[in-house]
Amino acid sequence: MTVVAVFNQKGGVGKTTTTANLAAAMAKNGLEPLVIDLDPQAHLTALSGLNPRADRTVYSFFQSGTALSELVHRLDNGVNLIPSHMELSRVDMMLTQNRHDLRRLKKAMSDEMLAEGATVLIDCCPMLGVLSLSALMAATCVLVPVTAEYLAMNGAQQLDQTLKGLTSRGLHRPKKVFINRYQRGHPTSEKVAQELKRRYGRDFCRTRVCESQSVLEGIGSNQDVFTFAPDSEGAEDFSYLLDELVETGFIRA
């Protein structure tokens, strides 16, 4: 069972595009992923071409206890998605950061056996509140996208402190960090890549996902890069990233 929280405590680092394209790569390889959009901005849901009512999204799970399995939407690319809604922003007011509330998502996934035979990806919001902590509680590991800029590294450092806090409570979550929107030969990209490799060692992926027009244009068309441009460099990069995560045992195929 692999439950991956895609998280960085800085916005704009490509968490949503990473989740969407990594899930599409999995579906292309027959892994049948389940994706949970746990960001109230619901960008992943919109990217998937969905515009559901709040009661047909993960908000309904938190608000009224609707079974997660009843909220799954099957997408044309083979990905199973539990969508989000802007009403999800109410969850931080509805729930507290006590152990019972933070374990609700993990317990429901276990009770419904949603991760049995499938990889689950959780697209997290950057704010460290009930939603993100719930995702980290439910996750077996954390994937951290870092764009090739210095501020994104700061977000990764903040996440390091959060994960250390979980480890101190007996909730160790292995992580993998990868560089996103990398530009070959660009001084800042090269410096950030070197610093990430120095800082994270084996936890830093050798795969570098480059800045890609095909990925950006795919988003504008509400499509993952494998659907929009299957022969593009962007599709190749996400295929390599998945291969590395499987080969290193981070994701169990």
Side-chain angles (χ1 to χ4, degrees):
M1 178 180 77
T2 305
V3 182
V4 184
V6 183
F7 189 38
N8 186 324
Q9 285 177 240
K10 182 187 180 302
V13 296
K15 293 185 295 295
T16 296
T17 54
T18 294
T19 305
N21 289 310
L22 198 57
M26 291 178 188
K28 182 173 173 286
N29 285 275
L31 296 182
E32 296 191 13
L34 170 65
V35 176
I36 303 175
D37 187 353
L38 212 60
D39 188 341
Q41 296 179 92
H43 288 163
L44 180 60
T45 299
L47 172 59
S48 302
L50 299 179
N51 185 27
R53 301 191 316 263
D55 64 355
R56 296 301 305 152
T57 72
V58 71
Y59 171 69
S60 186
F61 162 75
F62 287 104
Q63 194 269 338
S64 56
T66 302
L68 292 171
S69 56
E70 294 180 14
L71 302 171
V72 176
H73 294 247
R74 178 79 171 183
L75 304 181
D76 292 340
N77 63 358
V79 173
N80 296 302
L81 172 67
I82 297 179
S84 183
H85 192 278
M86 62 183 299
E87 288 293 312
L88 192 62
S89 61
R90 297 175 179 266
V91 169
D92 275 304
M93 294 181 287
M94 291 165 41
L95 303 179
T96 65
Q97 293 189 14
N98 66 48
R99 186 174 290 263
H100 172 75
D101 282 344
L102 295 180
R103 288 182 177 272
R104 282 183 60 183
L105 181 62
K106 178 181 177 68
K107 184 177 186 304
M109 290 173 61
S110 176
D111 290 348
E112 298 182 48
M113 296 185 290
L114 290 182
E116 295 298 322
T119 297
V120 180
L121 297 175
I122 305 177
D123 185 24
C124 301
C125 64
M127 185 179 71
L128 189 63
V130 170
L131 292 173
S132 293
L133 287 171
S134 294
L136 293 174
M137 284 283 194
T140 57
C141 53
V142 183
L143 181 63
V144 188
V146 179
T147 46
E149 58 184 34
Y150 297 112
L151 291 178
M153 286 199 300
N154 292 339
Q157 281 184 295
Q158 292 171 3
L159 175 57
D160 290 343
Q161 297 305 312
T162 300
L163 294 180
K164 285 180 182 178
L166 290 176
T167 298
S168 68
R169 300 178 187 178
L171 300 169
H172 175 64
R173 299 292 182 265
K175 68 175 179 291
K176 283 285 187 181
V177 178
F178 78 95
I179 192 165
N180 193 26
R181 298 176 188 164
Y182 172 76
Q183 298 180 57
R184 293 186 186 90
H186 190 281
T188 300
S189 285
E190 297 298 344
K191 287 180 182 178
V192 170
Q194 291 172 12
E195 175 60 21
L196 289 172
K197 184 176 181 180
R198 183 196 67 79
R199 184 181 298 172
Y200 293 106
R202 293 182 180 179
D203 292 337
F204 180 57
C205 293
R206 63 180 182 272
T207 302
R208 300 179 181 188
V209 176
C210 295
E211 185 80 53
S212 171
Q213 193 64 29
S214 58
V215 171
L216 294 175
E217 291 179 0
I219 293 171
S221 302
N222 290 338
Q223 293 179 317
D224 64 83
V225 70
F226 295 94
T227 301
F228 181 78
D231 297 322
S232 65
E233 183 181 44
E236 186 177 69
D237 285 347
F238 278 105
S239 290
Y240 285 151
L241 179 61
L242 175 60
D243 288 345
E244 179 175 353
L245 295 176
V246 171
E247 288 169 6
T248 58
F250 189 75
I251 289 177
R252 298 174 188 171

